[in-house]
Each structure stands twice: as C-alpha cells, then as structure tokens.
Amino acid sequence: MTKRTPIIAGNWKMHNTLAESAALIKGLTENFENKQNAEIIVAPSYTSLAKVAELCKGTAIKVAAQDVHWEDKGAFTSAVSPVQAKDAGATHTIIGHSERRSVFGDTDEILNKKVAAALRHGLTVIFCVGETLAQREAGETLQVIEAQLKNGLKDFTAEQLNGLVIAYEPVWAIGTGKTATPEQAQEVHAAIRQYLATAYGNDFAQATRILYGGSVKDSNVDEIMAKEDVDGALVGGQSLIAEKFRRIINFN
C-alpha cells in the first residue's frame, strides 16, 4: 500500500431501518479504533441518510449517498438530487455501482451527468467500474474498465475531478462470495492508474485513491490492502456487521 490515505467505505445498500442504522453506528463508534488512520465512509439508504449523518457528527465517519440524480429538482419521482443528499448530511456519493448499471439501467451517459451534478454541489464522487464474468473470461476486462472511465468521466478536467475516488468492483465478485485475487485486483488497479495518468497527468493519477470492492471480508482484507495500487475497500455485506467492519477498518 502507498502513502495515499486509505479509504474504507461501507455500502449498506437496501438494508437497515432507522433503529438498525443507529445501532450499527453505535457499534462502530464505541471504543473506536482506527489503526491505519483510514478515511471511513458509510453509505446508508436514503431513509437513514439524515439520521446517520447526525449520529456521525463529531466522529471519524463520513456519510455518502448511494446515488444521486443529475437534476437539482423536478418531476423525477423516487429520485434524490445532490442538493437533497448534501442537505441530509452527505459529503460523498457513490455513482456507477454495478447494480445501478445492470438493475436500473444507468448508462455511461447518465453516469456522466450524475458525476457533473455531484461535482457541481461539492460532493466527492466514488465512481465505480467493473467487468462481468463473461467479459473477464473473454479477456476484455481492461478494455471495459477503460471505456467506463473514458465515457463516465467524459469532458472533465483533472482540476474538476480533484478528489475523485475510483472503486473497482468486478461484477462477478459482488455478493457472490467470490473475490478477485490480490494479484487480479492489483493488475486492474495499476491499469486504472495508468489510464488516469494518460488522461489527466501523473500527479492526478498518483493522488487518486482506487478502492477494491467485491466480497471484501475481514478474512481477506489484509492481503488485498497489501497491494501497491489498492488504496482501500468498498465493502458490502460485512459493512452491516459492526464487529467485522471494524476489523476491516483496522486491516493489517
């Protein structure tokens, strides 16, 4: 791992009531320890966003929205704008998660507009990329990742993207129990950093933190985080269990 400040982020997805969210934050913050001085982020569902943000005030935990719409307001039933997410206490937002791409049909063009909206309102973007199993088996992983980066971040300058976080999540490893080997993760992370260097300059690439996501567990986080270009983790299921998420935060 490099000198970039690691990020450990928990994506709670469509889980937790208000009471469950409060209990989870309490479990994370009691006798809090952060051995690696990591930046810690949780992404609750929208119904818990304001509550979690309030509970995290004065702690080391930051709060992210799981997604935002590209418009500030309007007739977009069920959508949440970056203005609303920020007002509820979010400082970050996840954009481009594979479930948004595959389940809800977010295209690169839509994601590009969402990135623009988030940046316009000062939200730090965690931009997700990743290949399907079929694409990996066809040897298309790096081409797919590059296309997602190129199209999703189209027309932005390095200055505009300052602070951007990339999350590499192989689709075949999300919620399946399968995990890319540390070597597979490092290969893709290094390729992402090389793409960023080509597109935005080496200084930008070296400063950008790239997270690995996809069945990250307390049992495999240490070896994943040991890789040079892995700057953190985007955690799913185990971020819902305080004891396990605390262990991931305190990786060795």
Side-chain angles (χ1 to χ4, degrees), residues 127-147:
F127 189 74
C128 299
V129 296
E131 83 284 10
T132 64
L133 181 60
Q135 289 166 334
R136 171 163 281 275
E137 291 178 341
E140 299 171 350
T141 295
L142 300 185
Q143 298 96 303
V144 168
I145 301 300
E146 182 171 329

Side-chain angles (χ1 to χ4, degrees), residues 46-248:
Y46 292 126
T47 56
S48 295
L49 190 58
K51 178 71 171 179
V52 169
E54 181 66 28
L55 292 171
C56 288
K57 284 182 179 178
T59 75
I61 301 174
K62 299 177 182 178
V63 179
Q66 294 181 12
D67 183 49
V68 291
H69 196 268
W70 62 84
E71 294 287 354
D72 294 354
K73 60 182 178 180
F76 302 100
T77 298
S78 86
V80 174
S81 77
V83 177
Q84 293 170 320
K86 189 173 181 179
D87 183 58
T91 56
H92 295 62
T93 182
I94 300 170
I95 292 177
H97 192 279
S98 68
E99 289 155 8
R100 288 296 319 176
R101 293 175 186 266
S102 64
V103 179
F104 297 98
D106 281 10
T107 63
D108 288 339
E109 181 182 10
I110 287 173
L111 297 177
N112 185 251
K113 293 196 293 184
K114 289 183 174 184
V115 171
L119 295 178
R120 188 166 66 244
H121 292 286
L123 290 172
T124 298
V125 172
I126 302 172
F127 189 74
C128 299
V129 296
E131 83 284 10
T132 64
L133 181 60
Q135 289 166 334
R136 171 163 281 275
E137 291 178 341
E140 299 171 350
T141 295
L142 300 185
Q143 298 96 303
V144 168
I145 301 300
E146 182 171 329
Q148 290 173 341
L149 291 168
K150 181 178 180 179
N151 296 326
L153 304 178
K154 183 181 178 182
D155 295 331
F156 296 113
T157 65
E159 184 177 7
Q160 290 172 316
L161 293 174
N162 182 43
L164 174 76
V165 178
I166 303 292
Y168 166 56
E169 293 198 309
V171 179
W172 48 271
I174 297 173
T176 63
K178 298 178 181 178
T179 309
T181 65
E183 292 72 26
Q184 288 173 322
Q186 169 59 25
E187 177 189 20
V188 177
H189 281 231
I192 290 171
R193 203 173 304 284
Q194 181 57 55
Y195 171 81
L196 295 176
T198 301
Y200 302 105
N202 190 60
D203 287 348
F204 179 88
Q206 292 304 315
T208 299
R209 289 171 291 179
I210 307 172
L211 316 183
Y212 173 75
S215 296
V216 176
K217 304 180 183 69
D218 55 347
S219 59
N220 62 23
V221 66
D222 294 344
E223 56 182 347
I224 291 171
M225 288 300 300
K227 293 302 182 181
E228 179 182 359
D229 286 293
V230 177
D231 303 313
L234 181 55
V235 186
Q238 291 210 340
S239 70
L240 297 167
I241 306 168
E243 180 182 1
K244 292 184 177 296
F245 194 48
R246 285 166 63 127
R247 170 62 182 85
I248 292 170

